[in-house]
Amino acid sequence: MNDPQWLARQLAEQQPRHNDQRKPMQRDKARIMHSAAFRRLQAKTQVLGVGMHDFYRTRLTHSLEAAQIGTGIAARLKQNHPALIEVIGDDNLIESLCLAHDLGHPPYGHGGEVALNYMMRDHGGFEGNGQTFRILTRLEPYTRHHGMNLTRRTLLGLIKYPMLFSELQEDSPKTPLANFRQLQAEQWLPPKGIFDDDADTLEWVLAPFSDSDKQRLKTTGTNSKNQRRSLHHSLDCAIMELADDIAYSVHDLEDAIVMGIVSKSHWQEQVAVPISGIDGCYLADQIDEIGAKLFSDEHHLRKDAIGTLVNAFVTHTHIADNDAFESPLLKYNAVMEPSYERCLSILKHFVFEFVIRKPEVQILEYKGQQIVMELFEAFESDPLRLLPRATQQRWQQAQQIGNGHRIIADYISGMTDAFAARLHQNLFTSQMGSLSELHSPF
């Protein structure tokens, strides 16, 4: 789809640079890859804390792997649905979405996200996907006021939940805690949506849709945590989400096996046995062989097993129709065949229960949670003393319209794990840091 309205940017640009032959989506991808926000992903936690070892995934390597998987899914969809080739995004678009989808995640992963949501509880909340949208459209200094100034279609593909926080928040606010140490993450999970501060930009992205499509996008359901969540997003976003889930479930599993975090007996009980009983999925017949390779001492055998899993999920995707929508970008949805979706769900649950929920991992997450809240409290107490000069100016401007807290959340969420830890140490311990350690890269 080369509809001009989907290739439009918020800020009208001058003519391309001399002899620049790139298409709009190529330029979007370049802006993402060359951004500081993208580089910082190399020092942000994926599942295991950055710095524990030097070979497992960070947010950056996860995003790169998701991009490779995403283009594989798009190629499969184009092969199976040739009539929709013009609707399915090109490789540059899909790569852009996968590369950018985690830009808004704060230091210390889920712990940092919950911490910022708690500190922003009276000021619009915080959530990683909403922050990604904010970075792309407002914060990354490619332009003065419009972030990377990406095309409308790229921004649409990065909106997993096209609703505002205020449309999703609970009616009864939770009671603040007496002490940060008491914060239980499950009680302060953020709603999934766009910050109300960015409502005008969301409205601009969705402007080409009909009124009926916009209204249907506001359809909500309840997730396993009993939170309201929007149910629909674009075809491009669906491809990106599938790639993200595959990369998370398979590649994070590989890291956990290499580090000895999960055992073969756990795999056999929690993954191999359930998958072996799934009809209509060739993984059921191969799961014992896959398990043997995954836990083999031979590295190349483990890689072969990982490749088998990824290939199975990528090659069993297709496009489903949702006739409730008018726009092709919403009418068509990328989905995985039910038996393979069940297999992926089992893997995803296994990683969550035996890796993410492992006490040793949760201790690191809890520690990061405390660091983020204490940093926020310090900056909130005296922003014109402790924030960097440029951030002070942004805080003063935002404070004039009543939400300087959002600027503090922007600042902290952009930190890498190491920078947040170093800044926290300099603020709250007797050890004095050097000026170079205190210098902010933001």
Side-chain angles (χ1 to χ4, degrees):
M1 289 179 64
N2 292 316
D3 188 332
Q5 61 186 346
W6 289 112
L7 298 180
R9 303 178 189 274
Q10 279 188 285
L11 177 64
E13 297 184 333
Q14 302 298 322
Q15 292 297 317
R17 294 184 176 91
H18 182 62
N19 285 335
D20 188 350
Q21 302 301 312
R22 296 175 301 168
K23 296 179 180 179
M25 299 306 174
Q26 289 176 292
R27 294 166 63 197
D28 281 1
K29 178 183 170 184
R31 293 179 189 188
I32 291 166
M33 291 190 70
H34 291 289
S35 68
F38 182 69
R39 292 194 298 277
R40 289 186 194 117
L41 294 179
Q42 67 186 306
K44 289 193 177 186
T45 294
Q46 170 62 11
V47 172
L48 305 168
V50 172
M52 291 171 62
H53 292 277
D54 61 0
F55 58 84
Y56 56 71
R57 274 84 180 174
T58 63
R59 289 273 180 189
L60 179 64
T61 55
H62 162 76
S63 299
L64 293 170
E65 288 172 334
Q68 184 271 328
I69 293 171
T71 55
I73 293 172
R76 178 66 175 176
L77 296 179
K78 290 175 183 177
Q79 180 186 48
N80 288 347
H81 305 274
L84 297 178
I85 286 178
E86 294 301 318
V87 178
I88 300 168
D90 69 18
D91 283 359
N92 287 296
L93 171 61
I94 301 303
E95 285 185 301
S96 292
L97 304 184
C98 293
L99 293 173
H101 79 281
D102 270 352
L103 292 184
H105 282 264
Y108 307 110
H110 179 65
E113 181 180 50
V114 169
L116 282 175
N117 185 51
Y118 175 74
M119 300 305 291
M120 290 290 291
R121 63 193 179 277
D122 297 324
H123 309 286
F126 181 89
E127 192 267 334
N129 296 289
Q131 189 67 17
T132 293
F133 186 72
R134 187 168 170 82
I135 288 170
L136 297 170
T137 61
R138 195 180 296 259
L139 301 180
E140 186 66 29
Y142 185 88
T143 63
R144 187 167 185 176
H145 299 298
H146 296 91
M148 295 187 201
N149 198 33
L150 303 179
T151 61
R152 180 183 264 125
R153 180 160 179 180
T154 297
L155 292 176
L156 175 68
L158 282 159
I159 301 175
K160 293 184 182 181
Y161 311 101
M163 293 181 66
L164 298 175
F165 256 50
S166 59
E167 298 173 308
L168 295 166
Q169 284 178 313
E170 300 175 5
D171 295 332
S172 54
K174 299 183 180 69
T175 304
L177 305 171
N179 189 291
F180 291 159
R181 301 288 190 267
Q182 300 173 356
L183 189 143
Q184 296 182 22
E186 294 298 310
Q187 296 180 4
W188 290 93
L189 297 174
K192 303 287 188 179
I194 302 298
F195 306 140
D196 284 52
D197 292 329
D198 303 311
D200 55 342
T201 312
L202 176 63
E203 183 179 356
W204 178 84
V205 173
L206 302 181
F209 292 134
S210 66
D211 289 341
S212 59
D213 275 359
K214 291 178 189 176
Q215 191 59 41
R216 290 187 185 96
L217 275 174
K218 293 181 179 292
T219 304
T220 62
T222 304
N223 64 10
S224 60
K225 306 290 186 182
N226 203 33
Q227 291 178 298
R228 287 180 62 214
R229 179 176 294 187
S230 55
L231 298 178
H232 304 294
H233 47 223
S234 71
L235 169 62
D236 305 326
C237 185
I239 295 172
M240 177 266 285
E241 280 211 297
L242 284 174
D244 184 24
D245 279 351
I246 294 170
Y248 161 82
S249 302
V250 178
H251 292 303
D252 290 350
L253 169 67
E254 180 184 12
D255 281 352
I257 291 173
V258 171
M259 294 185 65
I261 292 177
V262 297
S263 68
K264 191 171 183 179
S265 61
H266 286 148
W267 163 270
Q268 187 66 27
E269 178 185 348
Q270 301 292 327
V271 178
V273 171
I275 287 181
S276 66
I278 297 177
D279 294 329
C281 174
Y282 72 72
L283 289 177
D285 298 327
Q286 298 184 18
I287 198 64
D288 288 338
E289 180 183 356
I290 290 171
K293 289 181 177 180
L294 284 174
F295 289 90
S296 169
D297 292 332
E298 298 287 342
H299 185 70
H300 71 279
L301 293 178
R302 187 182 305 114
K303 281 298 181 185
D304 180 66
I306 293 296
T308 298
L309 290 171
V310 172
N311 180 72
F313 297 132
V314 168
T315 57
H316 288 85
T317 55
H318 65 276
I319 290 179
D321 290 5
N322 186 341
D323 291 331
F325 288 99
E326 299 170 13
S327 170
L329 292 178
L330 300 177
K331 178 180 179 181
Y332 299 112
N333 187 32
V335 298
M336 194 175 293
E337 293 176 17
S339 60
Y340 289 86
E341 183 181 23
R342 175 61 181 150
C343 288
L344 185 64
S345 177
I346 290 171
L347 279 177
K348 189 174 182 179
H349 179 75
F350 181 70
V351 171
F352 180 77
E353 288 296 330
F354 286 87
V355 182
I356 293 176
R357 296 298 300 173
K358 192 176 179 67
E360 292 86 344
V361 174
Q362 285 301 305
I363 286 172
L364 293 175
E365 190 173 285
Y366 177 83
K367 181 178 180 180
Q369 184 177 294
Q370 301 303 312
I371 288 173
V372 167
M373 288 189 288
E374 289 177 2
L375 285 176
F376 196 106
E377 185 180 50
F379 294 133
E380 182 183 32
S381 70
D382 202 345
L384 295 181
R385 181 184 183 190
L386 299 176
L387 289 173
R389 295 284 188 189
T391 309
Q392 288 180 25
Q393 294 175 6
R394 290 184 56 237
W395 180 87
Q396 288 177 305
Q397 293 169 357
Q399 194 68 359
Q400 292 176 3
I401 57 175
N403 200 0
H405 291 81
R406 178 63 63 194
I407 306 306
I408 298 174
D410 288 342
Y411 177 52
I412 295 176
S413 69
M415 294 179 183
T416 64
D417 295 22
F419 183 85
R422 190 164 61 248
L423 186 57
H424 183 271
Q425 182 182 59
N426 286 326
L427 278 171
F428 297 110
T429 69
S430 58
Q431 181 178 342
M432 297 297 291
S434 68
L435 286 176
S436 61
E437 288 179 323
L438 292 169
H439 175 69
S440 170
F442 312 111

